[in-house]
Amino acid sequence: YRKGDKSMTLKQCEHLYYGFAFQDNFKNFRYKSLTDSIAKYEKNEDKLDPKNILKQLEFRNQILEKSPFDVNHIWGKINNLDLLKRQNEINICFNQLDIMHNVVRNSGDGLTKETAYYINNVQFEWFLINLLDLKATKNPMVQDGYLLYAKTKLPVHFRIQLAVAHEWMVNEF
């Protein structure tokens, strides 16, 4: 996966994507200091200086080493690599996104709670919502134990694996 190897079977990809959250060292959203460091370089007046871009990339790689399915940092890495004209590495990142996309799209059709898309982090939920060109609000309402967002003409359901409790929660769009 880290090399963007698309020769893995769907079953291998599913095992990797869903199984990752059950590892003892799994840490999702626990990289504030690294994220703050990236933001510092992004706001720098010399933010397009290759040295600043390389520092951002270094911090993103540290995050992705521990949280390889962090969609926001994969996209940030793609942007950094694009500025550095490193197309081969960009292709690896797109392959990683494609692997995650295929796993999630294969998990269900999202049309009902029973056939919801299974994801392992909220970032990927938003990534898929944007990919599917759905409109959702950022402030969910709780109803019958589920988080409900503004519905589109055709609601799309997500079932999120919460890493801490290793339970599932359904979000409906």
Side-chain angles (χ1 to χ4, degrees), residues 9 24 30 34 39 41 43 63 75 77 86 93 124 126 133 137 142-143 148 152 165 172:
T9 66
D24 291 337
R30 296 188 185 148
L34 289 169
Y41 283 97
K43 292 177 184 173
I63 292 170
W75 275 112
K77 183 176 180 176
R86 290 164 56 175
C93 291
F124 199 84
W126 287 104
D133 198 30
T137 63
V142 177
Q143 181 180 343
L148 300 174
T152 59
E172 181 179 325

Side-chain angles (χ1 to χ4, degrees), residues 147-165:
L147 291 174
L148 300 174
Y149 292 77
K151 293 185 180 184
T152 59
K153 290 180 184 173
L154 180 63
V156 176
H157 300 77
F158 293 88
R159 191 171 293 263
I160 302 173
Q161 178 180 4
L162 298 175
V164 176

Side-chain angles (χ1 to χ4, degrees), residues 77-143:
K77 183 176 180 176
I78 289 169
N79 290 329
N80 292 148
L81 293 169
D82 185 50
L83 292 169
L84 296 170
K85 310 279 189 243
R86 290 164 56 175
Q87 188 61 46
N88 287 341
E89 292 173 76
I90 291 171
N91 293 342
I92 289 170
C93 291
F94 278 120
N95 286 347
Q96 291 170 336
L97 290 172
D98 193 46
I99 288 168
M100 286 189 282
H101 176 254
N102 287 337
V103 166
V104 172
R105 288 298 299 261
N106 189 62
S107 67
D109 60 18
L111 297 178
T112 68
K113 291 177 183 174
E114 293 76 25
T115 61
Y117 292 120
Y118 282 81
I119 56 176
N120 69 4
N121 67 60
V122 176
Q123 295 170 352
F124 199 84
E125 180 177 24
W126 287 104
F127 170 71
L128 198 56
I129 287 167
N130 289 326
L131 190 66
L132 297 172
D133 198 30
L134 300 174
K135 308 293 181 238
T137 63
K138 291 189 177 190
N139 299 316
M141 294 175 19
V142 177
Q143 181 180 343

